[in-house]
Structures are given as structure tokens and as C-alpha cells.
């Protein structure tokens, strides 16, 4: 129901999106400055959005995204953060692959690929948004999810990484932990919600997760308290990433055994390895100011730029390889193997 109201609101006020805004694609490349800094190519392909200071290696703090970027693909003109998730592939019956195209959400038509990003003080559809949160600090970064997760049990360690099978652009439920098993007429939306409790000290951690925590009980949405180990309540960062899987919705092209044909760029055909990465890069205290405004979607302290400007910001590829946007490719870049079924047999 919550999601219904948000979708309704989005249709009424699509372009004044604070806390909820569109970002176009910056580049699709086999780079991962968080997990594999400097490695060109990194093990798997991502779509990256945000500030154009994005490079294969971004040393925390020294690499000041807001200072080094000249443009951003995000609607807020002061957000030079980088956000990324894996790319998605369709596997044909003959074993060749094509990359699934991406598009913006309803209300963000004209956006080049990309995703929708949220920063929330309270849960969606709480129009007051009054709970105080502390904005991220320069040098902050985190990830959520585990690309090697192979079972539902492993995936469930991460409360809120899910898929929505879009019957239409406004569909918001149900959400599933695994890839949808049937064609989705308006595509697949991947939902990623990051943990919201910070240890108050570390801008990063060796696994890029453990400086953050989920609430001690309940969830962010239920105002669950932060644990003593991670006492600082941060904004809920959420991504909605839409893949135009309907381009491949002809089931005569789907596997003969009835399984679904989509595979993450890290070789996962189950969907349990859903994960996303975040490197904070808002200018000065712009994010804190917005978070202090008690506004819902329409926040006057958020400066915005035009879709044209968002779309004109990009960086050249560092890795030059065929990623399967035009021709069918024999294997996913960097992935000789793929994991079609979960080890526990579930889907
Ligand atoms: C957004 O806020 C401004 C300033 O208060 C107001 O003029 C405008 O009508 C609002 N827009 C929406 C869609 O709520
Ligand atoms: C931004 O502009 C400056 C000055 O023109 C330039 O030196 C720098 O390389 C640019 N940065 C990016 C990421 O393009
Ligand atoms: C593999 O399958 C795709 C999709 O059906 C088709 O377009 C392509 O020509 C096939 N490639 C080969 C080598 O058979
Ligand atoms: C598949 O997508 C096409 C448009 O790309 C649409 O015309 C068709 O109705 C869709 N079929 C299903 C089963 O969703």
C-alpha cells in the first residue's frame, strides 16, 4: 500500500524529487574502485552513475568526488557521489548472451539508463520525514549484498535486496529474493536498501559492510533502534534499478526446462547475489541540509539540473571489450562460468 501511494505521488510530482531522484548512466565498465581498486578490468561489469571523477582507484578522503568532478549524471547538481550495481544479461538457448538495456523510472522519461536513488529520514509515505539522520561524511563508502550468495539463506542475511516483476511501470509488489520466474511485461526492477546504522567512526571497513548495521530490532521503516555498536542513525539509501527485460519476453526463446533466462554480470542466474555499491560525494554539507529540511520529495534545498545536463555527463570506458550490446557474445565479460540454479534447489 505504501508503495502504491508513492507511485501515485510520483505520477503527480515526477520531477521535484528530493530524496527520490533520477541519475543517468555515467559509464558501463568492468571497474570496481571499492572492492577491486586499481584493477582494470575488475571481475565483473557494472553500470555506474554520478560524478565524473569516477576512476578505477579512488582513495578514500584524498579522492574528493565533489572537488574532482566537473559534472554529475544525477538530478541534484551537488551530488557527485558514485553509485553502481551489476549489469544484467539475457542468455539465449544457444548459450550466447546480450546485455539487458536499462531505463529510468516512470516520471523520469528521457533519462539515459541509470537508476532512481532515494535518501530517506523515515519510511516511504511518511510525509513528515521528521526523524533526524546524520548525513554521510566525505570518504564514506559502503556496499550491501554478496555476489557469491547462492542460496536463499545466504541472500536473507540482507534484509531488503529484492526484485519486482513490473506488470506496469508503477508495480511495487510483491518483491522477491530471487529473479522473477515469469516474463515481466514492463521489465524487472531491482531494489536495494542499504543498512542505516553507522558505527560513528569508520568511513569504510575491510568488507565494506561492517561499519554499518541494520537496526537492532525491526527495520528502518519501523523505526527500529540502532544497536549500541552502531549508534548513529543515517539516511536510508535506496536504489531502484530498472532492466528492460521485456525486450526478451518471448518465452519461445527462454530455456526449455522452464527456468528463467536472466543472469547477473557476475554469473548468477538465481538472483541471490544482488548487491550494490555506494561512494559518498555530495558537495560540502548539501546532503545534511536537505536531510534537515523535513520535506517529502519536494525539498527546496535540493538544487537540481536539467535532464539534458544529466545525460551529457559521462566518462570514457577504461576497459575496451564487447559487452554484448549489439551482437550476441559467447560469454559474459570476465565470467567463463555461471551459476544457473541455487545449491539448495530453490529459485
Ligand atoms: C514544491 O514546493 C514549492 C515551494 O514550497 C511549491 O511552490 C511547489 O508547489 C511544490 N511542488 C509540489 C509538486 O509540491
Ligand atoms: C575537470 O576540469 C578540470 C579543469 O578543466 C580538469 O583538469 C579535470 O581533469 C576535469 N575532471 C574531470 C573528471 O573531467
Ligand atoms: C544464438 O541465439 C540468438 C538468439 O536466438 C540468435 O540471434 C543467434 O543468431 C544465435 N547464434 C548462433 C551462433 O547460433
Ligand atoms: C513483450 O514485450 C512487447 C514489447 O516489447 C509487448 O508488445 C508484448 O506484449 C510483451 N509480451 C508479454 C508476454 O509481456
Amino acid at each position: 500500500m505504501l508503495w502504491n501511494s508513492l507511485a501515485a505521488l510520483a505520477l503527480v510530482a515526477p520531477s521535484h524529487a528530493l530524496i527520490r531522484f533520477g541519475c543517468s548512466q555515467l559509464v558501463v565498465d568492468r571497474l570496481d574502485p571499492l572492492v577491486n581498486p586499481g584493477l582494470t578490468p575488475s571481475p565483473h561489469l557494472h553500470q555506474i552513475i554520478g560524478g565524473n571523477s569516477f576512476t578505477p582507484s579512488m582513495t578514500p578522503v584524498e579522492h574528493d568526488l565533489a572537488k574532482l568532478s566537473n559534472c554529475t549524471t544525477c538530478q541534484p547538481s551537488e551530488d557527485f557521489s558514485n553509485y553502481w550495481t551489476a549489469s544484467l544479461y539475457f542468455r539465449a538457448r544457444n548459450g550466447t548472451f546480450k546485455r539487458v538495456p536499462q531505463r529510468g523510472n516512470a516520471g523520469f522519461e528521457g533519462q539515459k539508463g541509470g537508476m532512481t536513488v532515494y535518501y530517506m529520514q523515515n519510511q516511504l509515505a511518511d510525509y513528515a520525514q521528521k526523524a533526524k539522520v546524520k548525513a554521510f561524511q566525505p570518504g564514506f563508502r559502503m556496499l550491501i549484498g554478496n555476489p557469491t550468495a547462492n542460496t536463499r539463506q545466504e541472500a536473507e542475511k540482507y534484509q531488503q535486496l529484492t526484485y519486482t516483476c513490473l506488470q506496469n511501470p508503477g508495480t511495487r509488489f510483491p518483491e522477491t529474493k530471487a529473479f522473477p520466474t515469469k516474463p515481466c511485461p514492463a521489465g524487472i526492477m531491482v531494489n536495494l536498501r542499504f543498512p542505516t546504522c553507522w558505527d560513528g567512526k569508520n568511513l569504510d571497513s575491510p568488507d565494506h559492510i561492517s561499519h554499518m548495521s541494520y537496526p537492532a530490532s525491526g527495520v528502518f521503516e519501523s523505526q527500529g533502534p540502532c544497536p549500541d555498536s552502531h549508534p548513529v542513525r543515517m539516511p536510508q539509501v535506496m536504489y531502484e534499478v530498472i532492466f528492460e527485460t521485456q525486450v526478451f519476453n518471448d518465452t519461445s526463446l527462454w530455456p526449455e526446462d522452464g527456468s528463467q533466462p536472466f543472469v547477473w554480470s557476475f554469473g548468477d542466474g538465481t538472483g541471490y547475489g544482488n548487491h550494490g555499491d555506494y561512494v559518498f560525494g555530495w558537495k560540502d554539507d548539501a546532503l545534511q541540509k536537505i536531510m534537515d529540511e523535513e520535506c517529502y520529495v519536494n525539498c527546496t534545498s535540493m538544487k537540481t539540473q536539467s535532464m539534458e545536463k544529466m545525460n551529457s555527463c559521462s566518462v570514457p570506458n577504461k576497459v575496451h571489450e564487447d559487452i554484448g550490446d549489439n551482437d550476441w557474445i559467447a560469454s559474459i565479460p570476465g565470467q567463463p562460468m555461471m551459476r544457473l540454479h541455487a545449491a539448495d534447489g530453490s529459485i
Side-chain angles (χ1 to χ4, degrees), residues 183-185 246-247 249:
C184 302
Q246 72 271 31
V247 177
N249 68 6

Side-chain angles (χ1 to χ4, degrees), residues 302-321:
M302 188 176 84
K303 296 182 184 140
T304 59
Q305 61 175 353
S306 67
M307 183 81 75
E308 197 184 357
K309 279 204 161 166
M310 291 162 56
N311 286 346
S312 67
C313 187
S314 66
V315 299
N317 276 77
K318 291 279 194 307
V319 179
H320 300 280
E321 61 188 350

